[in-house]
Amino acid sequence: MALKRVRRKRPEGGRLPAPSLLALGMMLGAGSVAAQTTVVSPTLNASLTWTDNAGSSGIGGFGGIGGGGFGGGRRGGEDFILELSPGVSMSRDSGRLSGTLSASFRNLMYASNSDSNTSYLALTGAGRYEAVKDMFFIDADASISRSNLSVFSTRGPNDGLDVNSNNETRVFSLSPRFKFRIGDNTQGQLLYRYRWTDSGNTGLANQSAGQWSAQISNTQITGIFGLGLDYQRTEGSYGNASGLGGGSGIGSGSRSGLSGGKSQEVARATLYAKVTPEFRLRGIVGRESNDYGDRGRQSTTVTGGGFDWNPTNRTTIAGTVERRIFGRGYDFSFQHRFARTAVFATFSRDIRSSLDLIAGGGLLDPTFLALYNNPFFVQLIPDPIARRDWLLRQLGLGSAYALTNAYYVARSLSGGFTYSLPRGVLSLTLSRSDNSRIGSGDGLSTVDDFRNFNALKSRSATLSYSHRLTPETSLNTSLTRTNSSGSGLNAADTQRTAFVVGLSSSLGPHTTGLLQYRHQRSDGDSFGGSNNNEFTENAVTASVGMRF
């Protein structure tokens, strides 16, 4: 995709997406009557790919179960792959309804191995509807994708040819919110979020989680001091994983690691102290309990503090440190924009689950949300769909995911910069994650990343550059390096390298073309002495995309 300032095309009319898009599509589609704020664009993408390794990464790490393209194995052989994908893109960025939605019906046909032909719906979207002005809101998000989430998968995260049907994951969320104000300075919110996932045969248990939360705060009770109260309760319900990865069939464990239900409660009181108009301190005390570990329900007192600092309208810095049930937790973030450069960094440690991370297909990630609304990126890529897709690729959110049914403590560090040149854009993104399992791995399926390891570490770096050759043509390149390792009862590591270079051009008012070459390689040491994580691919793709 060429990164350039573009004029947003407003179609004369729109059409509603397929019924399977459920509430999210209906919410965004309902706004199409206001053409001045809504874009609804049917799309058609066609591509032909030649690859010297058509095999998928299977289920799980180290070559997985069911990998390969010709009866299993690591190497799938040479093949031509034709893809035809009709779809729809929708966006609305003002008024009482806002959000983005992209859905496409992917159809992949293999010339030499028709048994690998597959079709499925790919969907990413998140939206908000203001049902009652300034009072009642409904948030919704949805994600349907096929990708091996294991940190040890042979293909990289979000690989367009990693379309093994056993890796299909569907996640949906619906969240009604009630906001209120008391006087001029007191405000609060009541929220219930229900999130559920159908994970097919990935090895993840089908999960659902309901979260109640309530907040009320007045940050200027005395002009200098303020007070806030926050309560959250999360109850999860987990069914047995199915098929290749879970409760029955190949690779099943005795039960799913999350079978049954788990719950967590956190209550906090926060004292605010405004030192200057730009700098505020926070003191925190509260109570936390959960039953995520092996020793039943545990509870502890939460104590900590933090700060919020906005020295200029271009700079935002915030930090929080707390003593939590799992030890020290923290959350730091930094953003600054210059005239041509945007810089960001985040550092956090908290309890996570696969359900939390994969929800929304990355659209709910705090770093993504902050950058998506950053004025620098809004000006750089005005089209909301193009900006969303570009940021998701740059952040590489999938590289830190883990294929697991266990809860774990995640320590995450990410940062990077984007530099806008007169005829190009240069970006560098770095990330690191250290994940430690809570409780034992007994009962987890054999493809679960935490079945054989107590801790997982991943490091990733992506350098990309897009250069505008002419007003209609751009040269795009990227280089990604990822290292993943596991430790505990066993030890293993995987290194991945991916290089992409492509030429994109506008072929007409609503048509773009792309010619792209990709090389990727995966190798390392897997436990048990096997070399199933070795993978090498060269691929050339020619594609045409049309937006009506």
Side-chain angles (χ1 to χ4, degrees):
M1 180 198 72
L3 288 181
K4 59 182 181 179
R5 292 175 174 84
V6 298
R7 295 177 60 189
R8 294 176 57 184
K9 306 291 185 180
R10 309 279 187 187
E12 295 298 327
R15 73 182 186 197
L16 291 177
S20 58
L21 302 188
L22 298 174
L24 181 61
M26 291 187 289
M27 284 173 58
L28 291 176
S32 62
V33 296
Q36 71 275 13
T37 58
T38 302
V39 177
V40 180
S41 301
T43 61
L44 177 62
N45 294 300
S47 67
L48 180 64
T49 298
W50 172 86
T51 174
D52 63 0
N53 191 345
S56 74
S57 60
I59 307 171
F62 313 111
I65 299 172
F70 299 92
R74 298 188 302 277
R75 190 154 192 88
E78 296 183 9
D79 210 339
F80 283 91
I81 304 169
L82 175 65
E83 178 176 351
L84 297 175
S85 300
V88 62
S89 294
M90 309 170 66
S91 67
R92 182 180 171 92
D93 55 10
S94 63
R96 297 173 64 178
L97 185 65
S98 61
T100 63
L101 174 71
S102 291
S104 64
F105 189 66
R106 298 191 65 191
N107 301 276
L108 285 81
M109 293 157 280
Y110 292 71
S112 301
N113 183 27
S114 59
D115 290 340
S116 296
N117 293 353
T118 187
S119 299
Y120 72 99
L121 176 68
L123 170 68
T124 300
R128 184 191 72 179
Y129 177 60
E130 187 178 4
V132 180
K133 185 174 177 59
D134 297 329
M135 182 178 296
F136 185 64
F137 302 81
I138 300 176
D139 301 320
D141 62 79
S143 173
I144 303 176
S145 63
R146 290 185 181 180
S147 182
N148 191 332
L149 298 178
S150 172
V151 297
F152 302 108
S153 65
T154 49
R155 286 185 178 272
N158 304 314
D159 188 316
L161 296 183
D162 193 8
V163 290
N164 190 316
S165 61
N166 292 311
N167 284 324
E168 184 165 316
T169 302
R170 298 170 289 275
V171 186
F172 304 94
S173 301
L174 193 62
S175 307
R177 284 187 295 127
F178 176 72
K179 297 180 65 174
F180 61 90
R181 298 186 65 90
I182 302 175
D184 295 331
N185 299 318
T186 300
Q187 57 185 351
Q189 174 177 278
L190 301 174
L191 176 145
Y192 177 74
R193 174 182 293 115
Y194 184 71
R195 178 170 291 156
W196 68 100
T197 177
D198 179 3
S199 303
N201 292 328
T202 62
L204 294 175
N206 294 336
Q207 306 176 29
S208 63
Q211 181 188 82
W212 290 97
S213 67
Q215 298 98 28
I216 186 170
S217 65
N218 185 333
T219 59
Q220 302 181 42
I221 294 178
T222 65
I224 297 178
F225 295 102
L227 181 65
L229 303 175
D230 183 357
Y231 172 79
Q232 291 186 2
R233 177 177 176 82
T234 304
E235 296 181 345
S237 177
Y238 313 95
N240 288 326
S242 59
L244 292 171
S248 60
I250 301 172
S252 62
S254 59
R255 58 181 175 85
S256 163
L258 290 179
S259 60
K262 303 286 184 178
S263 65
Q264 180 188 41
E265 284 186 283
V266 183
R268 292 181 176 91
T270 302
L271 177 65
Y272 300 95
K274 186 171 68 174
V275 181
T276 69
E278 297 81 20
F279 186 74
R280 183 178 69 181
L281 292 174
R282 291 180 275 115
I284 302 170
V285 63
R287 192 73 178 170
E288 177 182 19
S289 67
N290 68 53
D291 57 357
Y292 294 160
D294 295 330
R295 294 182 290 177
R297 192 161 198 87
Q298 295 182 294
S299 61
T300 189
T301 300
V302 176
T303 56
F307 68 92
D308 303 288
W309 186 27
N310 299 286
T312 71
N313 60 1
R314 293 174 174 264
T315 306
T316 300
I317 306 173
T320 303
V321 179
E322 296 176 315
R323 185 175 71 87
R324 300 279 302 277
I325 197 169
F326 55 86
R328 189 178 301 278
Y330 39 79
D331 187 3
F332 294 92
S333 64
F334 165 77
Q335 282 192 64
H336 181 73
R337 68 181 193 272
F338 301 93
R340 289 186 171 272
T341 306
V343 183
F344 78 94
T346 64
F347 187 35
S348 64
R349 185 171 187 261
D350 205 346
I351 296 176
R352 299 286 187 228
S353 72
S354 290
L355 178 60
D356 296 329
L357 290 177
I358 63 179
L363 299 183
L364 306 181
D365 181 82
T367 302
F368 166 82
L369 291 173
L371 297 180
Y372 179 82
N373 296 307
N374 189 308
F376 175 87
F377 292 102
V378 172
Q379 181 180 9
L380 181 67
I381 314 175
D383 183 88
I385 298 293
R387 182 167 72 253
R388 180 202 68 186
D389 294 344
W390 186 81
L391 284 171
L392 289 176
R393 287 196 301 270
Q394 292 301 311
L395 293 175
L397 296 173
S399 62
Y401 293 173
L403 177 65
T404 183
N405 284 333
Y407 284 97
Y408 54 93
V409 177
R411 184 176 64 178
S412 302
L413 171 65
S414 65
F417 73 87
T418 297
Y419 180 46
S420 176
L421 297 162
R423 298 184 64 179
V425 176
L426 176 67
S427 292
L428 174 66
T429 304
L430 306 173
S431 66
R432 178 187 177 99
S433 65
D434 296 337
N435 304 321
S436 301
R437 187 187 66 221
I438 299 176
S440 71
D442 295 341
L444 297 175
S445 71
T446 55
V447 298
D448 194 299
D449 282 347
F450 277 121
R451 169 67 180 265
N452 300 292
F453 309 104
N454 297 333
L456 302 170
K457 295 182 179 180
S458 294
R459 301 187 303 275
S460 179
T462 298
L463 178 65
S464 68
Y465 176 66
S466 177
H467 182 74
R468 190 170 68 253
L469 301 174
T470 71
E472 305 298 334
T473 304
S474 292
L475 178 68
N476 309 294
T477 62
S478 68
L479 177 65
T480 300
R481 176 70 174 176
T482 303
N483 295 328
S484 300
S485 63
S487 60
L489 297 176
N490 301 287
D493 63 84
T494 293
Q495 297 86 40
R496 298 193 207 95
T497 302
F499 171 73
V500 177
V501 58
L503 191 68
S504 61
S505 181
S506 174
L507 306 179
H510 305 286
T511 306
T512 58
L514 171 68
L515 181 64
Q516 177 179 282
Y517 167 75
R518 177 181 68 184
H519 171 80
Q520 61 176 328
R521 178 181 179 84
S522 173
D523 53 32
D525 298 321
S526 59
F527 69 96
S530 66
N531 293 316
N532 289 337
N533 54 341
E534 293 183 356
F535 178 88
T536 303
E537 182 200 39
N538 296 282
V540 178
T541 299
S543 65
V544 175
M546 292 175 283
R547 180 173 294 188
F548 304 98

